[in-house]
Amino acid sequence: MPKPDLGTSLFILRIMQFSPFFNAHHSPIGAFSTLTFGYKGASGGPGIELKGPADESLYIGIESQVQPNQFFAFPWFAGSDSVAQSDYDVEGLADTQFAEAVRPFPDSQISRQFGANTDVWLAPNLTFSTYSPIRPVPNPESASLSGLKNSLCPCVTCELVVDNLKGQHEVKAFFGYAGSNRGPNMRTWQDQGVTGIGQGRTVAIATDAKSAYAGIGFQPESVLTPRDTQNLSFMLGNCALIVVPVPAGTKAVIRFVVGFYRDGLVTTGQELSYLYSRYFHNVESVCKHGLEHFEETKQVSLASDQALKSRLSEVRFHHLSHALRSYLGATQLLETPEKKPVWIVNEGEYRMMNTFDLTVDQLFLELAMNPWTVQNVLEHFIDRYSYHDEVRFPNSDQQFPGGIVFTHDMGVGNAFSARGFSCYEQAKLKGVFSYMSCEELVNWILCACLTIDATRDQKWAKKILPTLLETLQSLMSRDNPNPLLRNGIMGLDSSRCKGGSEITTYDSLDSSLGQARNNTYLGVKTWAAYTLLESVLRLLNESQAAKTAGDQAKKAADSLIAAADGFGLLPAVIDEGNDARIIPAIEGLVYPFLTSFFTDHPDSALRKVLKRHFELILRPGICLFPDNGWRLSSTSRNSWLSKIYLCQFVSEAILGLPADTKADAAHWKWLTDEDNAYFAWSDQMVEGKAHGSRYYPRGVTSALWICTDGINPFEAIRNCLLGEQNSQSVAQSTQSTKAPLL
Amino acid sequence: MPKPDLGTSLFILRIMQFSPFFNAHHSPIGAFSTLTFGYKGASGGPGIELKGPADESLYIGIESQVQPNQFFAFPWFAGSDSVAQSDYDVEGLADTQFAEAVRPFPDSQISRQFGANTDVWLAPNLTFSTYSPIRPVPNPESASLSGLKNSLCPCVTCELVVDNLKGQHEVKAFFGYAGSNRGPNMRTWQDQGVTGIGQGRTVAIATDAKSAYAGIGFQPESVLTPRDTQNLSFMLGNCALIVVPVPAGTKAVIRFVVGFYRDGLVTTGQELSYLYSRYFHNVESVCKHGLEHFEETKQVSLASDQALKSRLSEVRFHHLSHALRSYLGATQLLETPEKKPVWIVNEGEYRMMNTFDLTVDQLFLELAMNPWTVQNVLEHFIDRYSYHDEVRFPNSDQQFPGGIVFTHDMGVGNAFSARGFSCYEQAKLKGVFSYMSCEELVNWILCACLTIDATRDQKWAKKILPTLLETLQSLMSRDNPNPLLRNGIMGLDSSRCKGGSEITTYDSLDSSLGQARNNTYLGVKTWAAYTLLESVLRLLNESQAAKTAGDQAKKAADSLIAAADGFGLLPAVIDEGNDARIIPAIEGLVYPFLTSFFTDHPDSALRKVLKRHFELILRPGICLFPDNGWRLSSTSRNSWLSKIYLCQFVSEAILGLPADTKADAAHWKWLTDEDNAYFAWSDQMVEGKAHGSRYYPRGVTSALWICTDGINPFEAIRNCLLGEQNSQSVAQSTQSTKAPLL
């Protein structure tokens, strides 16, 4: 299929029958910041460290060419704050109110070109674009200053193109927002050719347009059509605008930057600051840097979107774009007072920090873009968020040796949890909020082994080797205390549960996926962990341990194969009478596939069983919703897009099945559903409605779609995201050899 | 009337027929911080730099002695956050919810002893007290370190007394709150015998009780009765509690401190930080200091309240207490990077900074407690918030020389306005938001002259002498450009109005008080300004200027006297056909009265006229509401408590009229009205309902009630507020001489 150029009307969402009015993040990397907008009303705006959209009005529009002093704006605002004004004017005596003169463009006049790096909104005589490129984060301990500054500058670059070529009079273009009532008041500033608005010291919008002016009021009209320019000194009300007049007969390209900034220590438990604050001293300097690098940012963004479009179907491009945006808005690069970097991804609306079951899903993207962040997180888990437990059989108080395990997360909302504890896990439970000791252990092994393979970082591999060996031992302890009775599958719960049962990441589905012990989903992942351990340990000259891991992998595969019934169906939980059918049984296949060790041979029997199982269940009434969306468990109404994306990749790239384009469309419909579109990208969908895991970073499993064959997968993803579409041609994917490990 | 000891049931609000459930501030000085509570529901909590109550749940209570695991708390909380929990547990699978076990004490079991420094809440077996003393702020440029630390430590001291003497089992006492969803997550900590909870780095509650533990959850029950103590590591949900078990047969006194902290630069326009951050490095150190100085803080608080009660009627004690609290919560002591202090009082719900028409009302308290802050503000106005204008007659474009004038304020909500501009004033208006050039000029003169007299600070007086001389010239320019035609009253508007009309502080009433030109209220204040200028300039050996000021004072008095009609009634606006009757005509009498220059002689004619006027209008249907409350203007429904308090003082201390105790009761009813009680102390009351100027600092005009005779007034106020009730006996007030000026 031929692909038209970027900038034409391909990918215009209105034409796709989907509403363009969904919120999306527009974020720098590492700043836990976002300019969220798209959904109608006061539903977005600039936000730092929030659980969801800032719920502020965003005013972006122009004056009518035919009716002076009448304005049209994108529909991201609520009515003006007349209540606030009446607080000052108790008896309604003031002559300061302005008739409402800012109206939304009619829906029919608005279209959107939505990408991962660019988001372009078109209306009559006005184009509003944002450029927030997916950039790798260089390792601060080795990167160049300019590279770091450019990657980490906490801003979003925006552009207004105003076409007044046919206009008979000057029109005003404007960009502003109404800040939260809980923060400091709005402000304006002018400095060295830059005009800005902002709230406090943390958020600002600035332009270098020479004719720009800024003002504050209870309503946008008081800034757009002030009674006297002297009145632009007014600062009450929370609506602040930058206004740029565009003369008749001209077309103006106006650059804006939305800057974010938090100074000093920002966390508790561990006292850390934003790494960017090493390089930028206030939000004004952030904006200035953004304006100075405008063109570069724009070109990088255009190239990346172009490359992505050349690799993906239209709807998958939108899925991945949306997911990448929500991920970026959740990233947070901090540093200790000793300047040691600390990488955090916050868990969307929950804001849990480095939730490990998300780390393992974000791994694919991060190994492509900045594998040092994975290493950083894995070491953080070793140093502070690991613990040693004992294990128990169900309904027994007898404890057996356990081993090293890892916490579910590192804290929540800028509050680090205590050493060795997550913010989430509780004893004596069987469902949500119980411990995930075994799953996080498996996740650590998978992340570590894949990182060693992807980075070929010998030094790091040797550094974590003792932990790798410990994890192998710990994982076997959870199988059976008696080596002779081991079957490769988790059979004992952590003593931390104190009689409760461990859960998996799928805690909020039903027990088909939520129970950890004997779970097929976790079983396949455990098999993958042993498989990767075997290869990595062998390469690290730990042949004895490698052999042990290999034996365990074999046992796990055998157990899983044996669990299939006469039809080839696998139970969700082995030997516990749970006949639910689960798609994520196939999830674990992804890990060996992405390694350089991968050959078709060792897992072929298991793969065959899983493929059979999967083909049997991906049917209406079992694991397909009536709208063709994928249902992760036949017994739950709750399905998760991040995991669907991942299993789609497994289905296509590993099981060799065709892409389910109907499902792609159904899933996009979920995301843009009127009830869901406010939350940007969401994960948990209960019959297509977002009920949890909203505003969520985990959907970047879809980055795997870029690499369809598993050959040098992370390089393929990286090259594409960096806009190098030619160097990663289809031809290359037929390559069958890899660089040697280590 | 004999006064019982503090600690007995005098001043128990329930007995007074007024509801005890009104919000009040509990604040340190200079931190723009408050622990607000009292109103039912999630209506208070700790807040920094907010426009109103934080709207958070506060949990303070104890376990039932008869029903273990059942709890009673003061009614300052809403239901638990089950919605938040369901976000994690989409399908409701969790077994983590607890049955509701915390109920409010029945209203009938709660009583309150409300004071300025102490606020004591009594319930069965539980007494909750706060100690937040009114302290003077020492001048940071000369004070001792320990004095500054004690005064400025940004915390509120609290005490729980739990009587379990008759209990048969241990009961748990608790203190905690549910933080805002817009901030970072809640956290707990333990360090050096201190147990704490908090949100981010800015707010914390801590105790030194040895047996205390802390926890976080979606609901208080999960911390009060955890399934396992290991689960106290849980950090989701925004409810954090400190729990202290009290053994059977014991009575426990448990100390708590609520700490506030903001680090680094906190303002824009001028970049300032909190002065306290020089001495305290985080909120934990604030709490620690507060705990270490607990007993001293408590004793100071008790003494001050005791002294206040000995001077005031019960209801006036409550008015003043309430007003002082709202004032403290609005104070903000900042400093420049060069360590120069900057004193700010924020304007309640409006948060305007150093609004000059409030400064002049807060002057009486500040001259008593920390006159250096007045000097600081007046110099700040000279340096940055003065401007030079021209003046115009109404309906004329011709401009005449004006002079120095001052802005209405210095900015809003931590955002300083531009040099020479307020955040508030706008051109081309005739009402609310117009310029207040002349009134602020008068306010500057009154503040400066009273400060010189009160402080006897010769150095400072000489420093500001050039400005004093300028202000005299400027004030006359606003009378008439032709010296021969001057009548002592403002006749021209500032050119900043650009054809609009200047207003007074009473902008939101009708034109009876809102219009500045020829206004009787402003006329009397202008007379007072000339009167004070005359005396101060004479003492500074500026005899020519002093004579000029004296002449202008005479002209003003003559004009005002001549304005009275045949009955002795003064119009609100002279010669402009406005026959409204206004109480604040008498307001300006207060300034000469408080000076050491005051004798009965020079103003006796004016005073007589004003007294006659006042006696005629303080009648039902004119300036009394049906409920006996005072109505500032006969033509407005809007009346302001700060100004009523001030005019009450003038009526009693200067005009010699008896105290209107019916009015005091009516006004207290306004403040504690169900519709108003949420807003703590409010100023603007429209027929008894708070409609503006809520959560407001201005009511400290009531501090004047402490000094009934004008002899050494600021010393009298200071001594009483510092608890020195004996040194300031009634006998002393007969003293007729004063220390020599300068």
Side-chain angles (χ1 to χ4, degrees):
Chain A
M1 185 176 75
K3 307 268 181 190
D5 285 349
L6 186 95
T8 69
S9 57
L10 183 76
F11 301 113
I12 294 187
L13 290 164
R14 276 191 50 249
I15 296 170
M16 291 175 62
Q17 311 267 1
F18 296 113
S19 166
F21 301 111
F22 59 88
N23 264 338
H25 286 268
H26 306 75
S27 300
I29 194 160
F32 199 179
S33 295
T34 175
L35 176 69
T36 291
F37 67 87
Y39 196 71
K40 288 187 189 180
S43 307
I48 301 182
E49 302 172 355
L50 296 180
K51 296 178 179 185
D55 290 342
E56 294 169 358
S57 285
L58 205 55
Y59 296 97
I60 299 169
I62 48 165
E63 191 170 2
S64 164
Q65 280 186 348
V66 291
Q67 287 181 285
N69 299 325
Q70 293 295 312
F71 302 84
F72 288 96
F74 291 106
W76 308 315
F77 60 97
S80 63
D81 201 357
S82 60
V83 173
Q85 177 150 346
S86 74
D87 282 350
Y88 296 79
D89 178 23
V90 170
E91 292 288 17
L93 307 170
D95 40 8
T96 52
Q97 297 213 23
F98 290 76
E100 209 165 280
V102 181
R103 278 166 295 170
F105 289 111
D107 287 3
S108 62
Q109 295 186 353
I110 299 175
S111 58
R112 181 179 194 177
Q113 296 167 358
F114 181 69
N117 305 267
T118 67
D119 191 6
V120 181
W121 291 77
L122 305 155
N125 303 319
L126 185 71
T127 303
F128 173 60
S129 308
T130 64
Y131 306 107
S132 47
I134 322 283
R135 296 185 199 258
V137 184
N139 187 336
E141 296 183 304
S142 57
S144 73
L145 175 64
S146 68
L148 268 171
K149 280 189 81 168
N150 284 347
S151 287
L152 295 180
C153 183
C155 75
V156 174
T157 301
C158 308
E159 182 186 69
L160 272 184
V161 179
V162 181
D163 183 350
N164 197 20
L165 288 169
K166 294 181 185 155
Q168 299 300 306
H169 60 84
E170 176 187 282
V171 298
K172 288 170 176 165
F174 54 95
F175 187 175
Y177 75 109
S180 158
N181 275 319
R182 257 188 119 89
N185 268 68
M186 307 300 287
R187 61 165 174 139
T188 66
W189 86 88
Q190 283 225 302
D191 185 41
Q192 298 178 6
V194 173
T195 301
I197 58 173
Q199 185 167 29
R201 306 183 61 81
T202 57
V203 172
I205 304 177
T207 183
D208 54 6
K210 294 296 167 232
S211 57
Y213 72 84
I216 296 167
F218 294 106
Q219 52 181 124
E221 290 81 2
S222 64
V223 183
L224 290 167
T225 54
R227 229 169 243 100
D228 192 282
T229 54
Q230 182 182 298
N231 293 357
L232 292 170
S233 63
F234 190 69
M235 295 169 71
L236 303 179
N238 62 355
C239 170
L241 296 187
I242 296 173
V243 182
V244 185
V246 177
T250 67
K251 183 170 179 175
V253 178
I254 310 163
R255 298 165 168 198
F256 293 91
V257 161
V258 180
F260 307 93
Y261 193 77
R262 276 201 71 194
D263 203 3
L265 298 174
V266 297
T267 57
T268 55
Q270 299 179 68
E271 301 198 313
L272 308 178
S273 52
Y274 279 97
L275 201 136
Y276 64 64
S277 69
R278 209 198 282 183
Y279 306 111
F280 299 98
H281 299 300
N282 53 35
V283 73
E284 292 90 337
S285 67
V286 166
C287 290
K288 202 149 178 295
H289 183 95
L291 288 167
E292 283 163 5
H293 294 76
F294 181 94
E295 197 55 35
E296 173 192 339
T297 305
K298 178 175 174 178
Q299 292 311 323
V300 167
S301 300
L302 291 172
S304 175
D305 271 359
Q306 184 72 344
L308 282 166
K309 285 190 214 174
S310 74
R311 298 283 291 204
L312 298 173
S313 74
E314 187 177 321
V315 65
R316 286 203 169 176
F317 171 63
H318 288 141
H319 276 287
L320 173 56
S321 295
H322 208 11
L324 282 166
R325 290 176 171 282
S326 285
Y327 167 82
L328 284 182
T331 57
Q332 188 175 30
L333 179 55
L334 303 171
E335 65 175 2
T336 66
E338 298 77 32
K339 311 249 179 258
K340 193 175 159 346
V342 178
W343 178 255
I344 304 287
V345 179
N346 291 277
E347 196 184 341
E349 65 164 317
Y350 308 133
R351 297 195 301 190
M352 286 185 275
M353 298 154 86
N354 286 341
T355 305
F356 214 153
D357 22 323
L358 271 74
T359 302
V360 76
D361 286 327
Q362 292 146 194
L363 175 71
F364 314 117
L365 177 67
E366 292 185 348
L367 284 183
M369 299 300 275
N370 27 250
W372 75 268
T373 65
V374 182
Q375 295 175 331
N376 184 280
V377 170
L378 293 176
E379 289 187 63
H380 199 172
F381 269 109
I382 297 174
D383 294 344
R384 194 176 157 104
Y385 293 104
S386 59
Y387 55 97
H388 289 76
D389 64 355
E390 297 185 291
V391 291
R392 293 183 190 176
F393 283 104
N395 307 315
S396 161
D397 286 345
Q398 192 183 355
Q399 298 202 158
F400 298 95
I404 190 171
V405 268
F406 301 92
T407 61
H408 168 266
D409 58 71
M410 301 183 176
V412 55
N414 282 15
F416 282 97
S417 53
R419 198 173 275 279
F421 285 88
S422 70
C423 72
Y424 179 95
E425 290 154 308
Q426 296 188 42
K428 297 182 179 169
L429 297 178
K430 293 184 189 304
V432 178
F433 303 128
S434 183
Y435 278 84
M436 296 194 196
S437 315
C438 186
E439 164 139 14
E440 308 308 6
L441 173 63
V442 167
N443 288 339
W444 192 93
I445 295 168
L446 292 170
C447 290
C449 292
L450 220 48
T451 301
I452 290 172
D453 184 42
T455 61
R456 281 106 168 129
D457 183 343
Q458 188 161 11
K459 194 174 154 202
W460 190 75
K462 289 199 169 148
K463 185 175 175 187
I464 66 156
L465 176 58
T467 309
L468 270 179
L469 293 169
E470 272 196 86
T471 57
L472 171 61
Q473 197 53 51
S474 179
L475 192 55
M476 289 191 296
S477 301
R478 278 144 233 286
D479 178 343
N480 199 297
N482 181 344
L484 300 177
L485 297 178
R486 287 181 186 153
N487 66 354
I489 307 290
M490 171 187 166
L492 294 90
D493 290 299
S494 172
S495 52
R496 277 275 180 99
C497 293
K498 296 197 171 180
S501 304
E502 282 185 42
I503 54 175
T504 77
T505 186
Y506 291 102
D507 53 0
S508 65
L509 273 83
D510 60 17
S511 59
S512 65
L513 273 162
Q515 174 187 316
R517 199 171 10 82
N518 290 327
N519 188 286
T520 302
Y521 145 77
L522 188 56
V524 178
K525 271 180 81 170
T526 305
W527 160 81
Y530 284 126
T531 302
L532 267 61
L533 272 174
E534 179 191 7
S535 301
V536 166
L537 290 171
R538 182 153 297 131
L539 281 156
L540 292 167
N541 297 318
E542 295 287 339
S543 49
Q544 182 60 43
K547 185 184 174 311
T548 306
D551 289 348
Q552 283 293 111
K554 177 78 173 56
K555 285 182 189 170
D558 289 347
S559 301
L560 291 160
I561 292 164
D565 69 11
F567 300 103
L569 286 164
L570 287 162
V573 184
I574 298 169
D575 289 337
E576 297 205 16
N578 187 320
D579 285 339
R581 305 306 170 189
I582 55 171
I583 290 176
I586 67 171
E587 192 181 318
L589 286 176
V590 74
Y591 302 98
F593 180 74
L594 296 175
T595 63
S596 61
F597 324 116
F598 179 71
T599 62
D600 208 40
H601 161 66
D603 64 323
S604 58
L606 176 59
R607 187 151 56 137
K608 217 165 125 187
V609 165
L610 291 171
K611 182 173 180 178
R612 172 77 183 145
H613 164 79
F614 177 70
E615 285 179 314
L616 285 170
I617 65 171
L618 195 69
R619 295 180 185 191
I622 307 175
C623 287
L624 280 180
F625 286 108
D627 67 356
N628 300 310
W630 284 20
R631 179 178 199 146
L632 291 179
S633 164
S634 64
T635 53
S636 177
R637 304 175 305 146
N638 191 347
S639 203
W640 300 7
L641 282 174
S642 62
K643 294 298 198 178
I644 290 173
Y645 295 162
L646 178 51
C647 291
Q648 284 183 301
F649 174 74
V650 172
S651 160
E652 296 159 30
I654 306 177
L655 303 184
L657 298 170
D660 183 350
T661 55
K662 280 189 196 165
D664 290 336
H667 301 150
W668 186 251
K669 205 167 172 188
W670 293 356
L671 286 171
T672 55
D673 179 282
E674 176 76 15
D675 292 340
N676 304 340
Y678 165 77
F679 298 104
W681 193 92
S682 296
D683 203 9
Q684 293 195 46
M685 297 283 181
V686 177
E687 291 174 345
K689 299 286 183 181
H691 276 282
S693 304
R694 293 165 296 203
Y695 213 64
Y696 215 61
R698 195 182 209 169
V700 291
T701 47
S702 51
L704 286 171
W705 293 339
I706 294 171
C707 82
T708 48
D709 49 19
I711 309 297
N712 289 340
F714 307 117
E715 199 180 318
I717 293 170
R718 180 188 180 91
N719 287 341
C720 182
L721 288 172
L722 296 187
E724 294 162 17
Q725 62 197 97
N726 298 326
S727 71
Q728 179 63 24
S729 67
V730 177
Q732 192 190 13
S733 69
T734 58
Q735 178 190 333
S736 61
T737 59
K738 294 197 179 187
L741 180 74
L742 305 178
Chain B
M1 185 176 78
K3 309 269 181 190
D5 286 346
L6 185 95
T8 70
S9 59
L10 182 76
F11 300 113
I12 294 188
L13 291 166
R14 276 191 50 250
I15 296 170
M16 291 175 60
Q17 311 268 1
F18 296 112
S19 165
F21 300 111
F22 59 87
N23 265 339
H25 285 268
H26 307 74
S27 300
I29 195 161
F32 198 0
S33 295
T34 176
L35 177 67
T36 292
F37 66 88
Y39 196 73
K40 289 188 189 178
S43 308
I48 301 182
E49 302 172 355
L50 296 181
K51 296 177 179 185
D55 290 341
E56 295 169 358
S57 284
L58 204 56
Y59 296 97
I60 299 170
I62 49 167
E63 190 169 3
S64 164
Q65 281 185 349
V66 291
Q67 287 182 284
N69 299 326
Q70 293 294 311
F71 303 85
F72 287 97
F74 292 106
W76 307 315
F77 59 98
S80 62
D81 201 356
S82 60
V83 173
Q85 179 151 345
S86 74
D87 282 349
Y88 295 79
D89 179 22
V90 170
E91 292 287 18
L93 306 170
D95 40 7
T96 53
Q97 297 213 25
F98 289 76
E100 208 165 279
V102 181
R103 277 165 294 171
F105 288 112
D107 287 3
S108 62
Q109 295 185 355
I110 299 175
S111 57
R112 182 180 193 176
Q113 297 167 358
F114 181 68
N117 304 268
T118 66
D119 190 7
V120 181
W121 290 78
L122 305 155
N125 302 319
L126 185 70
T127 303
F128 173 61
S129 308
T130 64
Y131 306 108
S132 48
I134 320 284
R135 296 186 200 259
V137 184
N139 186 335
E141 294 183 303
S142 57
S144 73
L145 175 64
S146 69
L148 267 173
K149 280 190 79 168
N150 283 347
S151 287
L152 296 181
C153 183
C155 74
V156 174
T157 301
C158 308
E159 183 186 68
L160 271 184
V161 179
V162 181
D163 183 350
N164 197 21
L165 287 168
K166 296 181 184 156
Q168 300 301 305
H169 59 86
E170 175 186 281
V171 297
K172 287 171 177 164
F174 54 95
F175 187 176
Y177 75 109
S180 157
N181 274 319
R182 256 189 119 89
N185 268 69
M186 307 299 288
R187 60 165 176 140
T188 67
W189 86 88
Q190 283 224 303
D191 185 41
Q192 299 179 5
V194 173
T195 302
I197 59 171
Q199 185 167 29
R201 306 183 61 83
T202 58
V203 171
I205 303 177
T207 184
D208 55 6
K210 295 295 167 233
S211 57
Y213 72 85
I216 296 168
F218 294 106
Q219 51 181 125
E221 290 82 1
S222 65
V223 183
L224 290 166
T225 53
R227 228 168 243 103
D228 191 282
T229 54
Q230 180 183 300
N231 293 356
L232 293 170
S233 63
F234 190 69
M235 296 169 71
L236 303 179
N238 62 354
C239 170
L241 295 186
I242 296 173
V243 182
V244 185
V246 177
T250 67
K251 183 172 178 174
V253 178
I254 311 163
R255 299 165 167 198
F256 293 92
V257 161
V258 180
F260 307 93
Y261 192 77
R262 274 201 72 194
D263 202 5
L265 299 174
V266 297
T267 57
T268 55
Q270 298 179 69
E271 300 199 313
L272 309 177
S273 53
Y274 279 97
L275 201 136
Y276 63 64
S277 69
R278 212 197 280 183
Y279 306 111
F280 300 98
H281 299 299
N282 52 36
V283 74
E284 292 89 339
S285 67
V286 166
C287 291
K288 202 149 179 296
H289 183 96
L291 288 166
E292 283 163 6
H293 293 77
F294 180 95
E295 198 55 35
E296 172 192 338
T297 304
K298 177 175 175 178
Q299 293 311 323
V300 167
S301 301
L302 291 171
S304 174
D305 271 359
Q306 185 72 344
L308 283 166
K309 284 190 215 173
S310 73
R311 297 284 290 203
L312 298 173
S313 74
E314 185 176 323
V315 65
R316 285 203 171 177
F317 172 63
H318 288 142
H319 276 287
L320 173 57
S321 295
H322 208 9
L324 282 166
R325 290 176 172 284
S326 285
Y327 167 82
L328 285 182
T331 57
Q332 188 176 30
L333 180 54
L334 303 172
E335 67 175 1
T336 66
E338 297 77 33
K339 310 253 180 251
K340 194 177 161 341
V342 178
W343 178 255
I344 304 288
V345 180
N346 291 278
E347 195 184 342
E349 65 163 316
Y350 307 134
R351 295 195 301 188
M352 285 184 277
M353 299 155 86
N354 286 341
T355 304
F356 215 153
D357 21 323
L358 271 75
T359 302
V360 76
D361 286 328
Q362 292 147 194
L363 176 71
F364 315 117
L365 176 68
E366 292 185 350
L367 284 182
M369 299 300 275
N370 25 252
W372 76 268
T373 64
V374 182
Q375 295 175 330
N376 184 279
V377 171
L378 294 177
E379 291 188 62
H380 199 172
F381 270 109
I382 296 174
D383 294 343
R384 195 178 156 102
Y385 292 104
S386 58
Y387 55 97
H388 288 77
D389 65 354
E390 296 185 293
V391 291
R392 293 184 190 176
F393 283 106
N395 307 316
S396 162
D397 285 346
Q398 194 184 355
Q399 298 204 158
F400 298 96
I404 190 171
V405 269
F406 301 92
T407 61
H408 168 267
D409 58 71
M410 300 182 176
V412 55
N414 282 16
F416 282 98
S417 52
R419 196 173 278 279
F421 285 88
S422 70
C423 73
Y424 179 93
E425 291 154 306
Q426 295 187 43
K428 299 183 177 169
L429 297 177
K430 292 183 189 306
V432 178
F433 302 129
S434 183
Y435 277 83
M436 296 195 196
S437 315
C438 186
E439 164 140 14
E440 307 309 5
L441 172 64
V442 167
N443 287 340
W444 193 93
I445 295 168
L446 292 169
C447 290
C449 292
L450 219 50
T451 301
I452 290 172
D453 184 42
T455 61
R456 282 104 165 131
D457 183 343
Q458 188 160 9
K459 194 173 154 204
W460 190 75
K462 289 201 170 150
K463 186 175 176 187
I464 66 155
L465 176 59
T467 309
L468 270 179
L469 292 169
E470 273 195 86
T471 58
L472 172 60
Q473 197 53 51
S474 179
L475 193 54
M476 290 192 294
S477 301
R478 278 145 232 286
D479 179 342
N480 198 298
N482 182 345
L484 301 177
L485 297 178
R486 286 181 186 154
N487 66 352
I489 307 290
M490 172 186 164
L492 294 90
D493 290 300
S494 172
S495 53
R496 277 276 181 99
C497 292
K498 296 198 172 180
S501 305
E502 283 185 41
I503 55 174
T504 78
T505 186
Y506 291 103
D507 53 0
S508 65
L509 274 83
D510 61 17
S511 60
S512 66
L513 273 163
Q515 175 187 317
R517 200 169 12 83
N518 290 327
N519 189 287
T520 301
Y521 146 76
L522 187 56
V524 179
K525 270 180 81 171
T526 305
W527 161 82
Y530 284 127
T531 301
L532 267 63
L533 272 174
E534 179 190 8
S535 302
V536 167
L537 289 172
R538 181 156 296 131
L539 282 157
L540 291 168
N541 297 317
E542 296 286 339
S543 49
Q544 183 57 45
K547 186 185 174 308
T548 306
D551 290 348
Q552 283 293 112
K554 178 77 172 59
K555 284 181 188 171
D558 290 347
S559 300
L560 291 160
I561 291 164
D565 68 10
F567 300 102
L569 286 165
L570 286 163
V573 184
I574 298 169
D575 288 337
E576 298 205 14
N578 188 320
D579 286 340
R581 306 304 172 191
I582 55 171
I583 289 176
I586 68 172
E587 192 180 319
L589 286 175
V590 74
Y591 302 99
F593 180 75
L594 296 176
T595 63
S596 61
F597 323 117
F598 179 69
T599 63
D600 208 39
H601 163 65
D603 64 321
S604 57
L606 176 59
R607 187 152 54 139
K608 218 165 125 187
V609 165
L610 291 171
K611 182 173 182 178
R612 171 76 182 143
H613 164 80
F614 177 70
E615 286 180 312
L616 286 170
I617 65 170
L618 196 68
R619 295 179 183 190
I622 307 176
C623 287
L624 281 180
F625 286 108
D627 67 356
N628 300 308
W630 285 20
R631 177 179 200 146
L632 291 178
S633 164
S634 64
T635 52
S636 177
R637 304 175 306 145
N638 190 347
S639 204
W640 299 8
L641 282 173
S642 61
K643 295 299 196 178
I644 290 174
Y645 295 162
L646 179 51
C647 291
Q648 285 183 302
F649 174 74
V650 172
S651 161
E652 295 159 29
I654 305 176
L655 304 183
L657 298 170
D660 183 351
T661 54
K662 280 188 194 167
D664 289 337
H667 301 150
W668 186 252
K669 205 168 172 186
W670 293 357
L671 285 172
T672 54
D673 180 283
E674 175 76 14
D675 291 339
N676 304 339
Y678 165 77
F679 298 105
W681 192 92
S682 296
D683 203 10
Q684 294 194 46
M685 296 284 182
V686 176
E687 292 174 344
K689 298 286 182 181
H691 275 282
S693 303
R694 294 166 295 205
Y695 213 64
Y696 215 61
R698 195 183 208 168
V700 291
T701 47
S702 52
L704 286 170
W705 293 338
I706 295 170
C707 83
T708 49
D709 50 19
I711 309 297
N712 289 341
F714 306 117
E715 200 180 316
I717 294 170
R718 180 188 179 90
N719 287 341
C720 182
L721 288 172
L722 296 187
E724 295 162 17
Q725 62 197 96
N726 299 325
S727 69
Q728 178 63 22
S729 66
V730 177
Q732 193 191 12
S733 70
T734 59
Q735 177 190 334
S736 62
T737 58
K738 294 197 178 182
L741 179 74
L742 306 180

